[in-house]
Amino acid sequence: MAQRVRITDVSPRDGLQNEAGVIATPDKARLVRLLCEAGVDEVEVSSFVSARWVPQLGDAAEVFALLHDAKPKGTLFSALVPNETGLEAALAVNQAAGMRLIDRVAVFTAASETFSKKNTNATIAETLKRFDPVIKRAKAADLGVRGYVSCVAGCPFEGEIAPEKVSLVAQGLWDLGADEIDLGDTIGAAEPADIALLINAMTTRLGDRVLDQLTLHLHDTSGRAAECVVEALALGVRSFDASVGGLGGCPYASTPERRAPGNLSTQALVRTVTQAGFTTGVAPERLDAAATFARDIVARARAETRTQA
Ligand code: HMG
Ligand code: MG
């Protein structure tokens, strides 16, 4: 029987967080609903981070407030939390909803010190220290915890990153109790050979059991993300993040002339895993509807920004 691959769509969070224009809160909620209808396993809905750092996601609680009746059975909602303040905001959403609307929170650090400082104003060690109470309190509230490691195949500031450095940071998250390790190729630098080295470093340090808890989060800057998925599937990875319509685009990988391509698109991910002989829960035509809507709201926001400039 074909094996099932798990898909988390991160477009409402990673896809929208760097947009300069304003995306209306109801449009964000509509995008989440369309992704649920398309059958993805999880939607990363938003982030409870400082609105000064990421203004685009300052309405996280308001987005969730529009989603009380949106979640089909079996679909999970998650959100990023960088610290206890973020966790408290996520717990308040569940309290207001009177249900576990947010199933999982995601903490995030990096395998690059420079990136960690620029992204969260903290060293890697400081982020892990911050996460300790966050993870304990999240688990006490019966929430799952994703632990992201960014810059797993290169850093926009430090260049090459050793796979052993990635696995060491991942171990830090693992030891704190994260139940999923999510490896982020933040600038989309990975080639299939890098993925093989990375997964080898992970299983060497944490054992083969880590494969059941490993997710790959690929940006498609160099157009190699689908090949990296094929390599990861061959090595036992069964969980991937992607962004419908390929929304996103790491600001650190963009130039003034050319905006970097975004996350691996969810449509490309579904095609790739299906061609490789695996199944997903996704209905491709419904995913296309979500992609059309996602591209429309972003195009509208970008056009409005150009008009105002
Ligand atoms: P800081 O300035 O060092 O924090 O930022 P602070 O504790 O000094 O607080 C400063 C202000 O922020 C205070 O407000 C706090 O209350 C407030 P003020 O008194 O000045 O009015 N604050 C918060 N507000 C809302 N929610 C919170 C929160 N925490 C503090 N949780 C901080 C530290 C971590 C907050 C900041 O750096 C931050 O928010 N960073 C977020 C960066 C981010 O979201 N990056 C994108 C996500 S990661 C990513 O995209 C990579 C990934 O996709 C994987 C990959 O591709 O590699 C996941
Ligand atoms: Mg990302």
Side-chain angles (χ1 to χ4, degrees):
M1 206 171 81
Q3 282 186 48
R4 176 82 152 70
V5 163
R6 189 170 188 284
I7 295 183
T8 299
D9 193 292
V10 298
S11 61
R13 195 279 301 172
D14 209 355
L16 300 184
Q17 71 185 8
N18 295 315
E19 285 300 324
V22 177
I23 313 277
T25 306
D27 283 343
K28 294 178 182 177
R30 171 102 181 108
L31 173 58
V32 174
R33 284 175 186 274
L34 289 170
L35 292 167
C36 289
E37 286 170 19
V40 300
D41 298 285
E42 179 167 340
V43 184
E44 198 170 78
V45 173
S46 194
S47 296
F48 295 100
V49 296
S50 160
R52 258 198 291 134
W53 285 65
V54 184
Q56 189 55 263
L57 303 185
D59 59 352
E62 288 79 6
V63 176
F64 278 111
L66 296 176
L67 294 172
H68 286 192
D69 63 342
K71 202 164 53 158
K73 203 167 179 302
T75 308
L76 301 183
F77 283 169
S78 52
L80 263 57
V81 298
N83 52 18
E84 284 192 275
T85 309
L87 178 72
E88 275 153 22
L91 294 174
V93 161
N94 281 357
Q95 179 133 39
M99 62 187 277
R100 201 172 68 168
L101 186 60
I102 299 175
D103 302 278
R104 287 141 64 80
V105 290
V107 294
F108 50 103
T109 184
S112 149
E113 284 295 352
T114 316
F115 187 88
S116 180
K117 283 290 264 185
K118 286 193 186 272
N119 199 34
T120 58
N121 197 25
T123 64
I124 298 168
E126 284 164 350
T127 60
L128 293 175
K129 198 159 169 234
R130 270 181 198 171
F131 298 159
D132 186 20
V134 174
I135 294 176
K136 284 198 177 94
R137 288 179 63 188
K139 289 179 129 355
D142 205 20
L143 301 185
V145 178
R146 168 179 307 136
Y148 272 111
V149 184
S150 281
C151 300
V152 300
C155 166
F157 313 107
E158 295 184 9
E160 275 185 32
I161 298 286
E164 293 69 31
K165 180 73 192 289
V166 176
S167 64
L168 186 66
V169 177
Q171 180 169 22
L173 291 166
W174 179 276
D175 290 346
L176 289 174
D179 36 49
E180 176 189 3
I181 303 294
D182 199 336
L183 300 180
D185 180 13
T186 318
I187 54 169
E191 299 186 358
D194 301 312
I195 297 298
L197 291 172
L198 203 53
I199 291 169
N200 182 50
M202 291 293 289
T203 52
T204 302
R205 191 180 293 277
L206 296 166
D208 283 350
R209 66 197 168 133
V210 77
L211 289 172
D212 295 335
Q213 274 142 295
L214 201 60
T215 294
L216 209 51
H217 173 107
L218 297 164
H219 287 248
D220 203 16
T221 317
S222 342
R224 307 290 304 267
E227 290 168 66
C228 291
V229 169
V230 172
E231 181 71 19
L233 286 169
L235 294 168
V237 178
R238 298 288 179 267
S239 173
F240 297 88
D241 293 346
S243 168
V244 82
L247 293 198
C250 175
Y252 303 120
S254 296
T255 64
E257 295 75 41
R258 181 176 174 268
R259 189 188 172 91
N263 292 66
L264 168 63
S265 91
T266 313
Q267 303 97 297
L269 175 61
V270 170
R271 263 196 314 275
T272 304
V273 300
T274 308
Q275 277 163 11
F278 295 84
T279 62
T280 73
V282 171
E285 61 298 340
R286 291 193 172 190
L287 195 61
D288 287 343
T292 303
F293 181 75
R295 288 202 206 93
D296 279 355
I297 56 175
V298 165
R300 218 180 315 132
R302 287 183 189 171
E304 279 163 18
T305 310
R306 278 195 298 274
T307 314
Q308 283 155 15

